């Protein structure tokens, strides 16, 4: 119990969270392409942390010149979702988009941008905006990648060995150690696209007492310190020693008491 408490107390955690929820368009430097000269669609990759809000922007064209706005959303395992707005009649039309948490960022007659209230793994896919204007069509296409921060666990195990694990992260986290040890790193991919990475290291030299692992991930890095357990099987051995010493002491006491008792009996008899 004492040893466990010490390990917990000495194990520190540093967490740097670099991601904040998006309150503006995910792609700030917009590039507008006139579709008349477009041969293949150019996708801008945007990475958004799961659970945060995301905004996808159309090419910025004065809305007074716009005829219609069309968003086409293609994600895996779901029918395409199409959101359209006709400026002249102020009509909006949605096909296969309900229940996906995808809406206009504000009224489409104010801005043509799209908003995802809380990004989930199912949102990963391609989002394209087409704006029709009298002088041509304008495109903007995004490839949305969802980032999932891994759940991190770390602990020492017997025999001067430590484990660092980054569970169900997307993309896979990377684990590195500050002191060179004998390491085995394994990763396991899950069906939802997340990956669990587990690294276990052993240190032979007894001069290494505290090690640290760095878990690198796009959603933030963490450095974790682990105090290695000393010796191989010291705890059970020392416990046995204490029990043994106690039993010997008890035996000696019993012997003294018994001896005193017999002495007293002999004395009273004579
Ligand atoms: C998105 O577009 C890219 C590039 O064309 C393509 O490789 C990918 O399969 C598309 N994703 C989906 C979900 O259709
Ligand atoms: C909408 O979804 C249904 C099935 O859920 C499908 O049959 C239909 O083709 C979809 N419409 C479009 C425009 O993708
Ligand atoms: C301790 O770990 C090393 C390296 O993994 C191994 O060779 C050795 O047998 C282990 N010792 C015990 C007592 O488990
Ligand atoms: C992905 O799958 C793994 C393994 O089934 C699970 O632990 C994890 O919570 C899932 N992540 C998400 C974001 O659904
Ligand atoms: C531990 O000892 C080895 C040689 O025995 C040495 O190479 C290494 O630098 C030492 N490590 C530390 C942290 O002192
Ligand atoms: C996280 O770690 C990676 C690799 O070690 C590094 O390239 C990156 O700059 C680090 N990010 C932060 C925010 O410290």
């Amino acid at each position: 119990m004492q040893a466990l408490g010490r390990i917990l107390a000495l194990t520190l955690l540093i967490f740097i969270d670099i991601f904040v929820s998006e309150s503006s368009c995910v792609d700030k430097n917009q590039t507008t392409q006139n579709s008349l000269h477009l041969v293949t669609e150019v996708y801008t990759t945007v990475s958004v942390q799961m659970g945060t809000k995301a905004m996808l922007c159309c090419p910025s064209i004065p809305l007074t010149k716009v005829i219609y706005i069309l968003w086409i959303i293609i994600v895996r395992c779901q029918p395409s979702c199409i959101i359209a707005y006709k400026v002249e009649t102020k009509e909006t039309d949605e096909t296969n988009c309900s229940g996906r948490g995808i809406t206009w960022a504000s009224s489409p007659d104010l801005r043509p941008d799209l908003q995802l209230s809380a990004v989930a793994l199912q949102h990963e896919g391609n989002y394209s905006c087409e704006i029709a204007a009298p002088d041509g069509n304008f495109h903007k296409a995004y490839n949305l990648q969802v980032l999932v921060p891994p759940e991190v666990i770390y602990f020492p195990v017997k025999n001067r060995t430590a484990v660092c694990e980054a569970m169900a992260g997307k993309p896979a986290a990377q684990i590195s150690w500050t002191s060179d040890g004998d390491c085995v790193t394994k990763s396991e991919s899950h069906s939802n696209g997340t990956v669990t990475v587990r690294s276990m290291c052993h240190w032979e030299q007894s001069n290494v007492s505290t090690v640290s692992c760095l878990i690198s991930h796009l959603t933030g890095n963490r450095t974790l310190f682990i105090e290695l357990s000393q010796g191989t099987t010291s705890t059970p051995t020392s416990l046995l020693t204490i029990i043994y010493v106690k039993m010997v002491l008890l035996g000696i006491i019993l012997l003294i008491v018994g001896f005193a008792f017999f002495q007293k009996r002999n004395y009273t008899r004579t």
Side-chain angles (χ1 to χ4, degrees):
M1 282 310 282
Q2 249 181 355
L4 186 69
R6 221 156 48 106
I7 288 157
L8 288 174
L10 282 166
T11 308
L12 300 171
L13 181 141
I14 300 164
F15 180 41
I16 308 150
D17 196 352
I18 57 159
F19 274 79
V20 288
S21 67
E22 291 288 342
S23 57
S24 56
C25 294
V26 283
D27 179 34
K28 269 110 190 165
N29 32 332
Q30 289 194 37
T31 48
T32 303
Q33 269 128 1
N34 193 313
S35 71
L36 295 176
H37 312 292
L38 206 71
V39 183
T40 51
E41 193 119 62
V42 179
Y43 287 96
T44 305
T45 299
V46 289
S47 300
V48 183
Q49 186 167 335
M50 191 176 77
T52 61
K53 195 162 89 174
M55 190 110 67
L56 299 170
C57 297
C58 283
S60 33
I61 308 294
L63 281 173
T64 48
K65 288 185 180 175
V66 171
I67 301 165
Y68 69 83
I69 304 159
L70 189 67
W71 275 100
I72 299 172
I73 297 147
I74 301 168
V75 298
R76 230 161 259 133
C77 309
Q78 275 179 307
S80 315
C81 146
I82 296 161
I83 302 174
Y85 179 73
K86 217 168 158 186
V87 175
E88 198 182 23
T89 57
K90 289 183 186 283
E91 270 181 286
T92 55
D93 184 32
E94 290 193 16
T95 310
N96 289 341
C97 302
S98 64
R100 296 204 199 178
I102 303 172
T103 56
W104 294 103
S106 73
S107 174
D109 57 351
L110 296 175
R111 58 187 294 182
D113 309 326
L114 207 64
Q115 180 180 290
L116 282 76
S117 53
V119 173
L121 281 173
Q122 303 88 269
H123 285 131
E124 195 159 280
N126 294 334
Y127 294 69
S128 71
C129 173
E130 185 179 307
I131 288 187
D135 52 343
N137 289 1
F138 298 86
H139 273 286
K140 182 80 194 154
Y142 298 93
N143 178 249
L144 184 78
Q145 297 285 332
V146 180
L147 307 177
V148 183
E151 196 183 312
V152 169
I153 55 168
Y154 57 104
F155 50 88
V157 287
K158 266 183 217 154
N159 192 9
R160 309 186 43 74
T161 304
V163 170
C164 254
E165 188 171 335
M167 294 188 286
K170 189 177 177 300
Q174 289 189 321
I175 301 179
S176 54
W177 298 84
T178 44
S179 337
D180 285 332
D182 217 345
C183 300
V184 180
T185 303
K186 285 180 184 159
S187 59
E188 183 196 349
S189 302
H190 305 296
S191 56
N192 58 15
T194 62
V195 183
T196 294
V197 183
R198 180 188 167 99
S199 183
M200 184 157 98
C201 297
H202 175 76
W203 288 268
E204 207 65 68
Q205 300 106 324
S206 54
N207 58 356
V208 181
S209 61
T210 303
V211 293
S212 63
C213 71
L214 170 67
I215 298 192
S216 314
H217 195 257
L218 287 175
T219 60
N221 294 343
R222 291 187 192 194
T223 305
L224 310 155
F225 295 89
I226 304 169
E227 196 198 12
L228 295 177
S229 58
Q230 296 302 317
T232 46
T233 51
S234 65
T235 314
T237 311
S238 59
L239 202 69
L240 277 179
T241 310
I242 291 166
I243 291 170
Y244 181 74
V245 167
K246 276 185 180 170
M247 280 174 74
V248 168
L249 278 175
L250 194 73
I252 291 169
I253 290 166
L254 281 174
L255 216 67
I256 292 168
V257 170
F259 185 73
F261 183 72
F262 272 108
Q263 285 289 314
K264 203 173 166 216
R265 265 200 17 190
N266 280 349
Y267 177 76
T268 42
R269 214 180 271 170
T270 54

